[in-house]
Amino acid sequence: MKKFLLTLLVAAMAVTGAVAQNNLSDALNQADAEIAKAAEQFPKGTWIDTNWDAAWEFGVNNTIKLKDANTGAVIYNFTKDKRSNFKINMTNAGLEISFRCEDTKRTYKFTKPVTLDTSITMDIDYDLEPNHYKVTMNFKK
């Protein structure tokens, strides 16, 4: 009888361990899926480039608009058909969104660091100038 109870106890522990491992695996897979889903979208909001009085607005479905920071007038709407090489990546620097716009002859990269800081960094390479433009923009409250 003792052998039977011991065998039953060992079997129960093995089943419990297998179920726990399966639940942990499911939880990790779900977490990976949620992270991937979140990475599909850049943070929403408006960031200000004070050097140019420009407001960069990021909206739902990765919409991007460049506006006049003072008047709110749209300067350029970076619609999906105006962008090429559109990428969203998670790097050591943070969440990055990058794209190319032939109309403006520029390549853009925006980086949101993985910190509590709400600012983002913008990098622009302009085809007609060798200078690289980089600025940290504060979130518009």
Side-chain angles (χ1 to χ4, degrees):
M1 184 70 162
K2 287 182 183 182
K3 283 184 180 181
F4 175 74
L5 289 175
L6 182 59
T7 304
L8 188 61
L9 178 63
V10 169
M13 288 174 54
V15 168
T16 302
V19 169
Q21 184 175 1
N22 190 35
N23 288 344
L24 179 60
S25 178
D26 289 346
L28 290 175
N29 288 338
Q30 183 177 357
D32 287 344
E34 291 297 321
I35 290 168
K37 184 178 176 183
E40 292 174 5
Q41 296 290 325
F42 199 70
K44 312 300 178 273
T46 303
W47 284 264
I48 306 297
D49 179 353
T50 55
N51 296 332
W52 293 94
D53 290 328
W56 287 87
E57 180 181 277
F58 295 86
V60 295
N61 297 321
N62 294 314
T63 59
I64 304 167
K65 292 179 184 175
L66 173 59
K67 295 182 173 184
D68 183 296
N70 298 314
T71 67
V74 175
I75 297 169
Y76 195 86
N77 187 359
F78 294 91
T79 58
K80 290 182 182 183
D81 62 326
K82 303 278 185 184
R83 303 181 308 219
S84 61
N85 298 330
F86 183 82
K87 297 177 187 166
I88 299 177
N89 294 310
M90 182 57 96
T91 68
N92 289 340
L95 184 61
E96 291 181 352
I97 186 171
S98 60
F99 59 92
R100 167 89 182 141
C101 179
E102 288 302 323
D103 287 352
T104 63
K105 306 268 188 268
R106 289 171 172 85
T107 302
Y108 301 87
K109 181 174 77 171
F110 300 87
T111 306
K112 171 60 182 96
V114 186
T115 65
L116 295 178
D117 185 6
T118 58
S119 64
I120 63 173
T121 302
M122 176 175 65
D123 292 270
I124 300 176
D125 288 315
Y126 183 38
D127 293 355
L128 305 177
E129 276 187 26
N131 298 336
H132 175 83
Y133 182 69
K134 184 173 185 171
V135 65
T136 298
M137 300 186 297
N138 290 324
F139 183 73
K140 180 181 178 183
K141 294 178 174 118

PDB file of all heavy atoms in Angstrom, residues 5 15 17 27 32-33 35 50 55 71 73 88-89 97 100 105 107 110 113 115 119 123-124 131-132 134 136:
ATOM      1  N   LEU A   5       0.813   4.368  -2.730  1.00  0.00           N
ATOM      2  CA  LEU A   5       0.640   5.781  -2.385  1.00  0.00           C
ATOM      3  C   LEU A   5       1.838   6.614  -2.835  1.00  0.00           C
ATOM      4  O   LEU A   5       1.673   7.733  -3.338  1.00  0.00           O
ATOM      5  CB  LEU A   5       0.406   5.941  -0.883  1.00  0.00           C
ATOM      6  CG  LEU A   5      -0.952   5.455  -0.359  1.00  0.00           C
ATOM      7  CD1 LEU A   5      -1.004   5.558   1.157  1.00  0.00           C
ATOM      8  CD2 LEU A   5      -2.069   6.271  -0.975  1.00  0.00           C
ATOM      9  N   VAL A  15       2.515  15.160 -12.987  1.00  0.00           N
ATOM     10  CA  VAL A  15       1.412  15.783 -13.728  1.00  0.00           C
ATOM     11  C   VAL A  15       1.338  17.269 -13.383  1.00  0.00           C
ATOM     12  O   VAL A  15       1.187  18.119 -14.266  1.00  0.00           O
ATOM     13  CB  VAL A  15       0.077  15.068 -13.431  1.00  0.00           C
ATOM     14  CG1 VAL A  15      -1.104  15.865 -13.952  1.00  0.00           C
ATOM     15  CG2 VAL A  15       0.092  13.676 -14.040  1.00  0.00           C
ATOM     16  N   GLY A  17       3.751  19.198 -12.348  1.00  0.00           N
ATOM     17  CA  GLY A  17       4.898  19.861 -12.973  1.00  0.00           C
ATOM     18  C   GLY A  17       4.691  20.064 -14.461  1.00  0.00           C
ATOM     19  O   GLY A  17       5.013  21.117 -15.007  1.00  0.00           O
ATOM     20  N   ALA A  27       1.948  31.234 -20.986  1.00  0.00           N
ATOM     21  CA  ALA A  27       2.060  32.614 -20.502  1.00  0.00           C
ATOM     22  C   ALA A  27       3.202  33.345 -21.203  1.00  0.00           C
ATOM     23  O   ALA A  27       3.064  34.507 -21.584  1.00  0.00           O
ATOM     24  CB  ALA A  27       2.262  32.633 -18.985  1.00  0.00           C
ATOM     25  N   ASP A  32       5.071  37.217 -25.303  1.00  0.00           N
ATOM     26  CA  ASP A  32       5.794  37.514 -26.538  1.00  0.00           C
ATOM     27  C   ASP A  32       4.858  38.101 -27.589  1.00  0.00           C
ATOM     28  O   ASP A  32       5.219  39.041 -28.292  1.00  0.00           O
ATOM     29  CB  ASP A  32       6.469  36.255 -27.096  1.00  0.00           C
ATOM     30  CG  ASP A  32       7.683  35.828 -26.297  1.00  0.00           C
ATOM     31  OD1 ASP A  32       8.187  36.649 -25.499  1.00  0.00           O
ATOM     32  OD2 ASP A  32       8.121  34.676 -26.471  1.00  0.00           O
ATOM     33  N   ALA A  33       3.651  37.570 -27.698  1.00  0.00           N
ATOM     34  CA  ALA A  33       2.678  38.083 -28.669  1.00  0.00           C
ATOM     35  C   ALA A  33       2.258  39.507 -28.328  1.00  0.00           C
ATOM     36  O   ALA A  33       2.109  40.353 -29.214  1.00  0.00           O
ATOM     37  CB  ALA A  33       1.456  37.163 -28.722  1.00  0.00           C
ATOM     38  N   ILE A  35       4.054  41.741 -26.648  1.00  0.00           N
ATOM     39  CA  ILE A  35       5.197  42.612 -26.922  1.00  0.00           C
ATOM     40  C   ILE A  35       5.284  42.889 -28.419  1.00  0.00           C
ATOM     41  O   ILE A  35       5.498  44.024 -28.841  1.00  0.00           O
ATOM     42  CB  ILE A  35       6.504  41.995 -26.389  1.00  0.00           C
ATOM     43  CG1 ILE A  35       6.493  42.021 -24.855  1.00  0.00           C
ATOM     44  CG2 ILE A  35       7.726  42.714 -26.938  1.00  0.00           C
ATOM     45  CD1 ILE A  35       7.586  41.200 -24.220  1.00  0.00           C
ATOM     46  N   THR A  50      11.798  72.398 -31.266  1.00  0.00           N
ATOM     47  CA  THR A  50      11.823  73.841 -31.009  1.00  0.00           C
ATOM     48  C   THR A  50      12.755  74.588 -31.958  1.00  0.00           C
ATOM     49  O   THR A  50      12.606  75.796 -32.146  1.00  0.00           O
ATOM     50  CB  THR A  50      12.235  74.135 -29.548  1.00  0.00           C
ATOM     51  OG1 THR A  50      13.489  73.507 -29.289  1.00  0.00           O
ATOM     52  CG2 THR A  50      11.187  73.619 -28.582  1.00  0.00           C
ATOM     53  N   ALA A  55       5.869  70.526 -35.057  1.00  0.00           N
ATOM     54  CA  ALA A  55       5.204  69.538 -34.215  1.00  0.00           C
ATOM     55  C   ALA A  55       5.072  68.244 -35.014  1.00  0.00           C
ATOM     56  O   ALA A  55       4.468  68.234 -36.094  1.00  0.00           O
ATOM     57  CB  ALA A  55       3.833  70.045 -33.792  1.00  0.00           C
ATOM     58  N   THR A  71       0.624  77.275 -35.200  1.00  0.00           N
ATOM     59  CA  THR A  71      -0.719  77.374 -35.785  1.00  0.00           C
ATOM     60  C   THR A  71      -1.448  76.040 -35.859  1.00  0.00           C
ATOM     61  O   THR A  71      -2.664  76.018 -35.979  1.00  0.00           O
ATOM     62  CB  THR A  71      -0.648  77.962 -37.208  1.00  0.00           C
ATOM     63  OG1 THR A  71       0.032  77.026 -38.062  1.00  0.00           O
ATOM     64  CG2 THR A  71       0.056  79.304 -37.209  1.00  0.00           C
ATOM     65  N   ALA A  73      -1.215  74.111 -38.374  1.00  0.00           N
ATOM     66  CA  ALA A  73      -1.419  73.808 -39.789  1.00  0.00           C
ATOM     67  C   ALA A  73      -0.527  72.637 -40.205  1.00  0.00           C
ATOM     68  O   ALA A  73       0.635  72.545 -39.803  1.00  0.00           O
ATOM     69  CB  ALA A  73      -1.094  75.039 -40.639  1.00  0.00           C
ATOM     70  N   ILE A  88       9.525  49.436 -37.872  1.00  0.00           N
ATOM     71  CA  ILE A  88       9.464  49.651 -36.427  1.00  0.00           C
ATOM     72  C   ILE A  88      10.302  48.554 -35.801  1.00  0.00           C
ATOM     73  O   ILE A  88      10.064  47.379 -36.044  1.00  0.00           O
ATOM     74  CB  ILE A  88       8.024  49.604 -35.892  1.00  0.00           C
ATOM     75  CG1 ILE A  88       7.185  50.698 -36.534  1.00  0.00           C
ATOM     76  CG2 ILE A  88       8.014  49.746 -34.374  1.00  0.00           C
ATOM     77  CD1 ILE A  88       5.737  50.688 -36.118  1.00  0.00           C
ATOM     78  N   ASN A  89      11.304  48.949 -35.030  1.00  0.00           N
ATOM     79  CA  ASN A  89      12.216  47.989 -34.426  1.00  0.00           C
ATOM     80  C   ASN A  89      12.431  48.308 -32.959  1.00  0.00           C
ATOM     81  O   ASN A  89      12.413  49.469 -32.566  1.00  0.00           O
ATOM     82  CB  ASN A  89      13.592  48.040 -35.117  1.00  0.00           C
ATOM     83  CG  ASN A  89      13.534  47.579 -36.534  1.00  0.00           C
ATOM     84  OD1 ASN A  89      12.992  46.531 -36.827  1.00  0.00           O
ATOM     85  ND2 ASN A  89      14.093  48.380 -37.435  1.00  0.00           N
ATOM     86  N   ILE A  97      11.233  53.998 -35.043  1.00  0.00           N
ATOM     87  CA  ILE A  97      10.435  54.006 -36.254  1.00  0.00           C
ATOM     88  C   ILE A  97      11.270  54.737 -37.294  1.00  0.00           C
ATOM     89  O   ILE A  97      11.850  55.785 -37.000  1.00  0.00           O
ATOM     90  CB  ILE A  97       9.056  54.671 -36.028  1.00  0.00           C
ATOM     91  CG1 ILE A  97       8.174  54.536 -37.254  1.00  0.00           C
ATOM     92  CG2 ILE A  97       9.186  56.107 -35.647  1.00  0.00           C
ATOM     93  CD1 ILE A  97       6.733  54.983 -37.009  1.00  0.00           C
ATOM     94  N   ARG A 100      11.553  56.347 -45.275  1.00  0.00           N
ATOM     95  CA  ARG A 100      12.107  57.204 -46.318  1.00  0.00           C
ATOM     96  C   ARG A 100      10.941  57.905 -46.995  1.00  0.00           C
ATOM     97  O   ARG A 100       9.885  57.314 -47.198  1.00  0.00           O
ATOM     98  CB  ARG A 100      12.857  56.337 -47.324  1.00  0.00           C
ATOM     99  CG  ARG A 100      13.224  57.007 -48.587  1.00  0.00           C
ATOM    100  CD  ARG A 100      14.570  57.661 -48.454  1.00  0.00           C
ATOM    101  NE  ARG A 100      14.856  58.355 -49.715  1.00  0.00           N
ATOM    102  CZ  ARG A 100      15.441  59.509 -49.778  1.00  0.00           C
ATOM    103  NH1 ARG A 100      15.861  60.112 -48.699  1.00  0.00           N
ATOM    104  NH2 ARG A 100      15.666  60.079 -50.931  1.00  0.00           N
ATOM    105  N   LYS A 105      12.867  64.087 -49.935  1.00  0.00           N
ATOM    106  CA  LYS A 105      14.269  63.680 -50.153  1.00  0.00           C
ATOM    107  C   LYS A 105      15.000  63.452 -48.837  1.00  0.00           C
ATOM    108  O   LYS A 105      16.165  63.794 -48.679  1.00  0.00           O
ATOM    109  CB  LYS A 105      15.024  64.730 -50.980  1.00  0.00           C
ATOM    110  CG  LYS A 105      14.377  65.093 -52.288  1.00  0.00           C
ATOM    111  CD  LYS A 105      14.916  64.238 -53.391  1.00  0.00           C
ATOM    112  CE  LYS A 105      14.431  64.692 -54.753  1.00  0.00           C
ATOM    113  NZ  LYS A 105      13.232  64.030 -55.194  1.00  0.00           N
ATOM    114  N   THR A 107      15.439  60.795 -45.156  1.00  0.00           N
ATOM    115  CA  THR A 107      15.240  59.558 -44.403  1.00  0.00           C
ATOM    116  C   THR A 107      15.108  59.956 -42.941  1.00  0.00           C
ATOM    117  O   THR A 107      15.926  60.723 -42.427  1.00  0.00           O
ATOM    118  CB  THR A 107      16.426  58.597 -44.606  1.00  0.00           C
ATOM    119  OG1 THR A 107      16.553  58.326 -46.001  1.00  0.00           O
ATOM    120  CG2 THR A 107      16.216  57.307 -43.843  1.00  0.00           C
ATOM    121  N   PHE A 110      12.976  58.021 -35.706  1.00  0.00           N
ATOM    122  CA  PHE A 110      12.534  58.516 -34.401  1.00  0.00           C
ATOM    123  C   PHE A 110      12.767  57.407 -33.393  1.00  0.00           C
ATOM    124  O   PHE A 110      12.405  56.257 -33.619  1.00  0.00           O
ATOM    125  CB  PHE A 110      11.042  58.870 -34.437  1.00  0.00           C
ATOM    126  CG  PHE A 110      10.709  59.929 -35.445  1.00  0.00           C
ATOM    127  CD1 PHE A 110      10.427  59.595 -36.763  1.00  0.00           C
ATOM    128  CD2 PHE A 110      10.686  61.262 -35.082  1.00  0.00           C
ATOM    129  CE1 PHE A 110      10.122  60.568 -37.702  1.00  0.00           C
ATOM    130  CE2 PHE A 110      10.376  62.244 -36.008  1.00  0.00           C
ATOM    131  CZ  PHE A 110      10.097  61.897 -37.328  1.00  0.00           C
ATOM    132  N   PRO A 113      13.316  56.175 -26.187  1.00  0.00           N
ATOM    133  CA  PRO A 113      14.084  55.335 -25.256  1.00  0.00           C
ATOM    134  C   PRO A 113      13.164  54.565 -24.302  1.00  0.00           C
ATOM    135  O   PRO A 113      12.050  54.992 -24.027  1.00  0.00           O
ATOM    136  CB  PRO A 113      14.931  56.341 -24.473  1.00  0.00           C
ATOM    137  CG  PRO A 113      14.832  57.633 -25.190  1.00  0.00           C
ATOM    138  CD  PRO A 113      13.579  57.595 -26.004  1.00  0.00           C
ATOM    139  N   THR A 115      12.670  54.361 -21.235  1.00  0.00           N
ATOM    140  CA  THR A 115      12.811  55.027 -19.939  1.00  0.00           C
ATOM    141  C   THR A 115      11.493  55.710 -19.620  1.00  0.00           C
ATOM    142  O   THR A 115      10.573  55.713 -20.441  1.00  0.00           O
ATOM    143  CB  THR A 115      13.926  56.099 -19.970  1.00  0.00           C
ATOM    144  OG1 THR A 115      13.545  57.142 -20.884  1.00  0.00           O
ATOM    145  CG2 THR A 115      15.260  55.509 -20.389  1.00  0.00           C
ATOM    146  N   SER A 119      10.514  62.211 -23.890  1.00  0.00           N
ATOM    147  CA  SER A 119      11.082  62.786 -25.105  1.00  0.00           C
ATOM    148  C   SER A 119      11.441  61.686 -26.102  1.00  0.00           C
ATOM    149  O   SER A 119      11.567  60.515 -25.750  1.00  0.00           O
ATOM    150  CB  SER A 119      12.317  63.617 -24.773  1.00  0.00           C
ATOM    151  OG  SER A 119      13.330  62.798 -24.253  1.00  0.00           O
ATOM    152  N   ASP A 123      16.273  61.758 -35.997  1.00  0.00           N
ATOM    153  CA  ASP A 123      17.435  61.831 -36.879  1.00  0.00           C
ATOM    154  C   ASP A 123      16.926  61.982 -38.310  1.00  0.00           C
ATOM    155  O   ASP A 123      16.043  61.230 -38.731  1.00  0.00           O
ATOM    156  CB  ASP A 123      18.259  60.545 -36.800  1.00  0.00           C
ATOM    157  CG  ASP A 123      18.932  60.360 -35.467  1.00  0.00           C
ATOM    158  OD1 ASP A 123      20.057  60.831 -35.333  1.00  0.00           O
ATOM    159  OD2 ASP A 123      18.323  59.751 -34.571  1.00  0.00           O
ATOM    160  N   ILE A 124      17.496  62.955 -39.041  1.00  0.00           N
ATOM    161  CA  ILE A 124      17.102  63.167 -40.431  1.00  0.00           C
ATOM    162  C   ILE A 124      18.353  63.245 -41.295  1.00  0.00           C
ATOM    163  O   ILE A 124      19.288  63.982 -40.979  1.00  0.00           O
ATOM    164  CB  ILE A 124      16.291  64.469 -40.611  1.00  0.00           C
ATOM    165  CG1 ILE A 124      15.020  64.445 -39.772  1.00  0.00           C
ATOM    166  CG2 ILE A 124      15.942  64.671 -42.089  1.00  0.00           C
ATOM    167  CD1 ILE A 124      14.222  65.744 -39.829  1.00  0.00           C
ATOM    168  N   ASN A 131      24.889  67.263 -44.200  1.00  0.00           N
ATOM    169  CA  ASN A 131      24.698  67.376 -42.753  1.00  0.00           C
ATOM    170  C   ASN A 131      23.609  66.429 -42.257  1.00  0.00           C
ATOM    171  O   ASN A 131      22.578  66.246 -42.898  1.00  0.00           O
ATOM    172  CB  ASN A 131      24.315  68.812 -42.381  1.00  0.00           C
ATOM    173  CG  ASN A 131      25.410  69.790 -42.738  1.00  0.00           C
ATOM    174  OD1 ASN A 131      26.567  69.411 -42.833  1.00  0.00           O
ATOM    175  ND2 ASN A 131      25.046  71.035 -42.959  1.00  0.00           N
ATOM    176  N   HIS A 132      23.868  65.879 -41.104  1.00  0.00           N
ATOM    177  CA  HIS A 132      22.915  65.006 -40.421  1.00  0.00           C
ATOM    178  C   HIS A 132      22.229  65.846 -39.344  1.00  0.00           C
ATOM    179  O   HIS A 132      22.895  66.529 -38.574  1.00  0.00           O
ATOM    180  CB  HIS A 132      23.675  63.831 -39.800  1.00  0.00           C
ATOM    181  CG  HIS A 132      22.824  62.932 -38.973  1.00  0.00           C
ATOM    182  ND1 HIS A 132      22.062  61.936 -39.514  1.00  0.00           N
ATOM    183  CD2 HIS A 132      22.619  62.884 -37.638  1.00  0.00           C
ATOM    184  CE1 HIS A 132      21.413  61.313 -38.536  1.00  0.00           C
ATOM    185  NE2 HIS A 132      21.736  61.866 -37.393  1.00  0.00           N
ATOM    186  N   LYS A 134      19.976  66.003 -35.988  1.00  0.00           N
ATOM    187  CA  LYS A 134      19.554  65.203 -34.838  1.00  0.00           C
ATOM    188  C   LYS A 134      19.082  66.145 -33.745  1.00  0.00           C
ATOM    189  O   LYS A 134      19.744  67.140 -33.442  1.00  0.00           O
ATOM    190  CB  LYS A 134      20.705  64.342 -34.326  1.00  0.00           C
ATOM    191  CG  LYS A 134      20.306  63.406 -33.198  1.00  0.00           C
ATOM    192  CD  LYS A 134      21.433  62.459 -32.853  1.00  0.00           C
ATOM    193  CE  LYS A 134      20.987  61.457 -31.824  1.00  0.00           C
ATOM    194  NZ  LYS A 134      21.969  60.389 -31.617  1.00  0.00           N
ATOM    195  N   THR A 136      16.578  66.174 -29.894  1.00  0.00           N
ATOM    196  CA  THR A 136      15.704  65.542 -28.905  1.00  0.00           C
ATOM    197  C   THR A 136      14.486  66.434 -28.755  1.00  0.00           C
ATOM    198  O   THR A 136      14.600  67.630 -28.544  1.00  0.00           O
ATOM    199  CB  THR A 136      16.431  65.384 -27.558  1.00  0.00           C
ATOM    200  OG1 THR A 136      17.554  64.528 -27.757  1.00  0.00           O
ATOM    201  CG2 THR A 136      15.516  64.763 -26.511  1.00  0.00           C
TER     202      THR A 136
END
